[in-house]
Amino acid sequence: MEAVKYLDKLKAVDDLFKAKGVEISEPEFRLLHEMTKKPNGRIKDLSNLRSVATQSVSRMCGHLSARGLISVAVNAKDKRERFVALTPLGAKIERQYRKKIEDIVND
């Protein structure tokens, strides 16, 4: 019975990200969440943490930056390297979704 309840919770979290009008996708949320743990990190470090190709993380960061959720800065010493940080809006969205997920999981 516990397994069924657990699966229901997983489905509810999944549905949260599939709902119409959702501001971020699940992979975007995970990236924002990692950024709360490592402020002003490098895209390369985020890709290593998430075990995702640097190119994929870079593309996702571009989308998040265009929506004002993160800021991206070029390393002055190495123009190929990018640093990313949550904006106040990005931090707010991450907190909102984390709270929704915690509510589902703890229900």
Side-chain angles (χ1 to χ4, degrees), residues 65-86:
S65 176
R67 291 170 22 220
L69 301 177
I70 67 169
S71 62
V72 180
V74 177
N75 182 344
K77 295 179 182 177
D78 183 352
K79 303 288 185 206
R80 298 169 296 172
E81 189 173 63
R82 305 282 188 266
F83 292 99
V84 292
L86 287 173

PDB file of all heavy atoms in Angstrom, residues 65-86:
ATOM      1  N   SER A  65      17.937  32.370 -18.677  1.00  0.00           N
ATOM      2  CA  SER A  65      18.411  33.751 -18.676  1.00  0.00           C
ATOM      3  C   SER A  65      17.467  34.652 -19.472  1.00  0.00           C
ATOM      4  O   SER A  65      17.146  35.767 -19.035  1.00  0.00           O
ATOM      5  CB  SER A  65      19.823  33.812 -19.268  1.00  0.00           C
ATOM      6  OG  SER A  65      20.267  35.140 -19.361  1.00  0.00           O
ATOM      7  N   ALA A  66      17.003  34.163 -20.605  1.00  0.00           N
ATOM      8  CA  ALA A  66      16.086  34.946 -21.441  1.00  0.00           C
ATOM      9  C   ALA A  66      14.780  35.244 -20.709  1.00  0.00           C
ATOM     10  O   ALA A  66      14.127  36.251 -20.986  1.00  0.00           O
ATOM     11  CB  ALA A  66      15.808  34.200 -22.743  1.00  0.00           C
ATOM     12  N   ARG A  67      14.417  34.384 -19.771  1.00  0.00           N
ATOM     13  CA  ARG A  67      13.189  34.577 -18.993  1.00  0.00           C
ATOM     14  C   ARG A  67      13.444  35.319 -17.682  1.00  0.00           C
ATOM     15  O   ARG A  67      12.547  35.487 -16.859  1.00  0.00           O
ATOM     16  CB  ARG A  67      12.534  33.222 -18.738  1.00  0.00           C
ATOM     17  CG  ARG A  67      11.993  32.672 -20.055  1.00  0.00           C
ATOM     18  CD  ARG A  67      11.520  31.245 -20.086  1.00  0.00           C
ATOM     19  NE  ARG A  67      11.140  30.596 -18.889  1.00  0.00           N
ATOM     20  CZ  ARG A  67      11.448  29.318 -18.631  1.00  0.00           C
ATOM     21  NH1 ARG A  67      12.150  28.607 -19.478  1.00  0.00           N
ATOM     22  NH2 ARG A  67      11.026  28.759 -17.531  1.00  0.00           N
ATOM     23  N   GLY A  68      14.682  35.737 -17.466  1.00  0.00           N
ATOM     24  CA  GLY A  68      15.003  36.531 -16.283  1.00  0.00           C
ATOM     25  C   GLY A  68      15.157  35.735 -15.008  1.00  0.00           C
ATOM     26  O   GLY A  68      15.145  36.311 -13.917  1.00  0.00           O
ATOM     27  N   LEU A  69      15.333  34.404 -15.114  1.00  0.00           N
ATOM     28  CA  LEU A  69      15.434  33.573 -13.915  1.00  0.00           C
ATOM     29  C   LEU A  69      16.867  33.409 -13.425  1.00  0.00           C
ATOM     30  O   LEU A  69      17.095  33.120 -12.246  1.00  0.00           O
ATOM     31  CB  LEU A  69      14.806  32.200 -14.163  1.00  0.00           C
ATOM     32  CG  LEU A  69      13.327  32.228 -14.564  1.00  0.00           C
ATOM     33  CD1 LEU A  69      12.828  30.821 -14.850  1.00  0.00           C
ATOM     34  CD2 LEU A  69      12.490  32.891 -13.495  1.00  0.00           C
ATOM     35  N   ILE A  70      17.822  33.577 -14.326  1.00  0.00           N
ATOM     36  CA  ILE A  70      19.232  33.511 -13.944  1.00  0.00           C
ATOM     37  C   ILE A  70      19.995  34.604 -14.685  1.00  0.00           C
ATOM     38  O   ILE A  70      19.519  35.142 -15.684  1.00  0.00           O
ATOM     39  CB  ILE A  70      19.880  32.137 -14.242  1.00  0.00           C
ATOM     40  CG1 ILE A  70      19.977  31.877 -15.747  1.00  0.00           C
ATOM     41  CG2 ILE A  70      19.153  31.008 -13.535  1.00  0.00           C
ATOM     42  CD1 ILE A  70      20.830  30.673 -16.105  1.00  0.00           C
ATOM     43  N   SER A  71      21.169  34.912 -14.169  1.00  0.00           N
ATOM     44  CA  SER A  71      22.072  35.810 -14.884  1.00  0.00           C
ATOM     45  C   SER A  71      23.279  34.996 -15.325  1.00  0.00           C
ATOM     46  O   SER A  71      23.676  34.041 -14.643  1.00  0.00           O
ATOM     47  CB  SER A  71      22.503  36.981 -13.999  1.00  0.00           C
ATOM     48  OG  SER A  71      23.206  36.503 -12.874  1.00  0.00           O
ATOM     49  N   VAL A  72      23.830  35.350 -16.456  1.00  0.00           N
ATOM     50  CA  VAL A  72      24.990  34.653 -17.002  1.00  0.00           C
ATOM     51  C   VAL A  72      26.088  35.684 -17.215  1.00  0.00           C
ATOM     52  O   VAL A  72      25.852  36.742 -17.799  1.00  0.00           O
ATOM     53  CB  VAL A  72      24.656  33.962 -18.344  1.00  0.00           C
ATOM     54  CG1 VAL A  72      25.882  33.245 -18.903  1.00  0.00           C
ATOM     55  CG2 VAL A  72      23.492  32.990 -18.184  1.00  0.00           C
ATOM     56  N   ALA A  73      27.282  35.384 -16.709  1.00  0.00           N
ATOM     57  CA  ALA A  73      28.420  36.284 -16.866  1.00  0.00           C
ATOM     58  C   ALA A  73      29.587  35.526 -17.484  1.00  0.00           C
ATOM     59  O   ALA A  73      29.826  34.358 -17.149  1.00  0.00           O
ATOM     60  CB  ALA A  73      28.832  36.852 -15.506  1.00  0.00           C
ATOM     61  N   VAL A  74      30.295  36.190 -18.364  1.00  0.00           N
ATOM     62  CA  VAL A  74      31.459  35.602 -19.016  1.00  0.00           C
ATOM     63  C   VAL A  74      32.678  35.804 -18.128  1.00  0.00           C
ATOM     64  O   VAL A  74      32.872  36.888 -17.562  1.00  0.00           O
ATOM     65  CB  VAL A  74      31.691  36.268 -20.398  1.00  0.00           C
ATOM     66  CG1 VAL A  74      32.943  35.718 -21.068  1.00  0.00           C
ATOM     67  CG2 VAL A  74      30.479  36.079 -21.287  1.00  0.00           C
ATOM     68  N   ASN A  75      33.488  34.767 -18.001  1.00  0.00           N
ATOM     69  CA  ASN A  75      34.732  34.858 -17.244  1.00  0.00           C
ATOM     70  C   ASN A  75      35.680  35.777 -18.011  1.00  0.00           C
ATOM     71  O   ASN A  75      35.979  35.545 -19.181  1.00  0.00           O
ATOM     72  CB  ASN A  75      35.337  33.462 -17.091  1.00  0.00           C
ATOM     73  CG  ASN A  75      36.606  33.455 -16.264  1.00  0.00           C
ATOM     74  OD1 ASN A  75      37.235  34.479 -16.027  1.00  0.00           O
ATOM     75  ND2 ASN A  75      36.992  32.276 -15.815  1.00  0.00           N
ATOM     76  N   ALA A  76      36.155  36.820 -17.378  1.00  0.00           N
ATOM     77  CA  ALA A  76      37.040  37.787 -18.036  1.00  0.00           C
ATOM     78  C   ALA A  76      38.371  37.154 -18.459  1.00  0.00           C
ATOM     79  O   ALA A  76      38.973  37.582 -19.440  1.00  0.00           O
ATOM     80  CB  ALA A  76      37.303  38.968 -17.102  1.00  0.00           C
ATOM     81  N   LYS A  77      38.799  36.113 -17.755  1.00  0.00           N
ATOM     82  CA  LYS A  77      40.075  35.459 -18.068  1.00  0.00           C
ATOM     83  C   LYS A  77      39.941  34.379 -19.128  1.00  0.00           C
ATOM     84  O   LYS A  77      40.913  34.040 -19.790  1.00  0.00           O
ATOM     85  CB  LYS A  77      40.683  34.862 -16.798  1.00  0.00           C
ATOM     86  CG  LYS A  77      41.076  35.904 -15.780  1.00  0.00           C
ATOM     87  CD  LYS A  77      41.657  35.261 -14.549  1.00  0.00           C
ATOM     88  CE  LYS A  77      41.988  36.335 -13.526  1.00  0.00           C
ATOM     89  NZ  LYS A  77      42.494  35.760 -12.278  1.00  0.00           N
ATOM     90  N   ASP A  78      38.756  33.801 -19.250  1.00  0.00           N
ATOM     91  CA  ASP A  78      38.514  32.734 -20.228  1.00  0.00           C
ATOM     92  C   ASP A  78      37.125  32.942 -20.812  1.00  0.00           C
ATOM     93  O   ASP A  78      36.129  32.564 -20.204  1.00  0.00           O
ATOM     94  CB  ASP A  78      38.621  31.365 -19.555  1.00  0.00           C
ATOM     95  CG  ASP A  78      38.454  30.203 -20.526  1.00  0.00           C
ATOM     96  OD1 ASP A  78      38.101  30.441 -21.700  1.00  0.00           O
ATOM     97  OD2 ASP A  78      38.665  29.060 -20.100  1.00  0.00           O
ATOM     98  N   LYS A  79      37.055  33.526 -21.975  1.00  0.00           N
ATOM     99  CA  LYS A  79      35.780  33.916 -22.592  1.00  0.00           C
ATOM    100  C   LYS A  79      34.866  32.719 -22.879  1.00  0.00           C
ATOM    101  O   LYS A  79      33.676  32.889 -23.086  1.00  0.00           O
ATOM    102  CB  LYS A  79      36.022  34.685 -23.901  1.00  0.00           C
ATOM    103  CG  LYS A  79      36.872  35.925 -23.747  1.00  0.00           C
ATOM    104  CD  LYS A  79      36.117  37.013 -23.058  1.00  0.00           C
ATOM    105  CE  LYS A  79      36.968  38.277 -23.029  1.00  0.00           C
ATOM    106  NZ  LYS A  79      36.672  39.154 -21.977  1.00  0.00           N
ATOM    107  N   ARG A  80      35.406  31.506 -22.868  1.00  0.00           N
ATOM    108  CA  ARG A  80      34.577  30.314 -23.103  1.00  0.00           C
ATOM    109  C   ARG A  80      33.796  29.911 -21.856  1.00  0.00           C
ATOM    110  O   ARG A  80      32.805  29.202 -21.941  1.00  0.00           O
ATOM    111  CB  ARG A  80      35.453  29.136 -23.547  1.00  0.00           C
ATOM    112  CG  ARG A  80      36.185  29.381 -24.851  1.00  0.00           C
ATOM    113  CD  ARG A  80      37.214  28.313 -25.080  1.00  0.00           C
ATOM    114  NE  ARG A  80      38.215  28.422 -24.007  1.00  0.00           N
ATOM    115  CZ  ARG A  80      39.186  27.547 -23.793  1.00  0.00           C
ATOM    116  NH1 ARG A  80      39.291  26.480 -24.545  1.00  0.00           N
ATOM    117  NH2 ARG A  80      40.049  27.726 -22.812  1.00  0.00           N
ATOM    118  N   GLU A  81      34.238  30.367 -20.714  1.00  0.00           N
ATOM    119  CA  GLU A  81      33.640  29.967 -19.435  1.00  0.00           C
ATOM    120  C   GLU A  81      32.549  30.951 -19.018  1.00  0.00           C
ATOM    121  O   GLU A  81      32.693  32.156 -19.144  1.00  0.00           O
ATOM    122  CB  GLU A  81      34.725  29.906 -18.373  1.00  0.00           C
ATOM    123  CG  GLU A  81      34.282  29.309 -17.074  1.00  0.00           C
ATOM    124  CD  GLU A  81      35.450  29.131 -16.124  1.00  0.00           C
ATOM    125  OE1 GLU A  81      36.063  30.133 -15.728  1.00  0.00           O
ATOM    126  OE2 GLU A  81      35.732  27.970 -15.800  1.00  0.00           O
ATOM    127  N   ARG A  82      31.443  30.383 -18.509  1.00  0.00           N
ATOM    128  CA  ARG A  82      30.308  31.196 -18.069  1.00  0.00           C
ATOM    129  C   ARG A  82      29.992  30.889 -16.612  1.00  0.00           C
ATOM    130  O   ARG A  82      30.006  29.743 -16.179  1.00  0.00           O
ATOM    131  CB  ARG A  82      29.056  30.877 -18.897  1.00  0.00           C
ATOM    132  CG  ARG A  82      29.211  31.012 -20.396  1.00  0.00           C
ATOM    133  CD  ARG A  82      29.144  32.475 -20.800  1.00  0.00           C
ATOM    134  NE  ARG A  82      29.090  32.664 -22.238  1.00  0.00           N
ATOM    135  CZ  ARG A  82      30.156  32.869 -22.993  1.00  0.00           C
ATOM    136  NH1 ARG A  82      31.338  32.856 -22.476  1.00  0.00           N
ATOM    137  NH2 ARG A  82      30.029  33.070 -24.292  1.00  0.00           N
ATOM    138  N   PHE A  83      29.671  31.961 -15.880  1.00  0.00           N
ATOM    139  CA  PHE A  83      29.202  31.838 -14.503  1.00  0.00           C
ATOM    140  C   PHE A  83      27.709  32.149 -14.491  1.00  0.00           C
ATOM    141  O   PHE A  83      27.253  33.044 -15.203  1.00  0.00           O
ATOM    142  CB  PHE A  83      29.934  32.825 -13.583  1.00  0.00           C
ATOM    143  CG  PHE A  83      31.382  32.503 -13.416  1.00  0.00           C
ATOM    144  CD1 PHE A  83      32.342  33.169 -14.163  1.00  0.00           C
ATOM    145  CD2 PHE A  83      31.790  31.536 -12.516  1.00  0.00           C
ATOM    146  CE1 PHE A  83      33.684  32.875 -14.019  1.00  0.00           C
ATOM    147  CE2 PHE A  83      33.139  31.234 -12.365  1.00  0.00           C
ATOM    148  CZ  PHE A  83      34.083  31.905 -13.117  1.00  0.00           C
ATOM    149  N   VAL A  84      26.965  31.409 -13.697  1.00  0.00           N
ATOM    150  CA  VAL A  84      25.514  31.614 -13.630  1.00  0.00           C
ATOM    151  C   VAL A  84      25.087  31.813 -12.183  1.00  0.00           C
ATOM    152  O   VAL A  84      25.690  31.269 -11.263  1.00  0.00           O
ATOM    153  CB  VAL A  84      24.745  30.432 -14.255  1.00  0.00           C
ATOM    154  CG1 VAL A  84      24.960  30.384 -15.755  1.00  0.00           C
ATOM    155  CG2 VAL A  84      25.137  29.108 -13.630  1.00  0.00           C
ATOM    156  N   ALA A  85      24.049  32.628 -12.011  1.00  0.00           N
ATOM    157  CA  ALA A  85      23.513  32.889 -10.674  1.00  0.00           C
ATOM    158  C   ALA A  85      22.014  33.110 -10.788  1.00  0.00           C
ATOM    159  O   ALA A  85      21.518  33.600 -11.807  1.00  0.00           O
ATOM    160  CB  ALA A  85      24.179  34.126 -10.072  1.00  0.00           C
ATOM    161  N   LEU A  86      21.309  32.732  -9.748  1.00  0.00           N
ATOM    162  CA  LEU A  86      19.873  32.980  -9.701  1.00  0.00           C
ATOM    163  C   LEU A  86      19.601  34.474  -9.587  1.00  0.00           C
ATOM    164  O   LEU A  86      20.302  35.178  -8.853  1.00  0.00           O
ATOM    165  CB  LEU A  86      19.248  32.293  -8.482  1.00  0.00           C
ATOM    166  CG  LEU A  86      19.106  30.784  -8.520  1.00  0.00           C
ATOM    167  CD1 LEU A  86      18.641  30.286  -7.159  1.00  0.00           C
ATOM    168  CD2 LEU A  86      18.148  30.359  -9.594  1.00  0.00           C
TER     169      LEU A  86
END
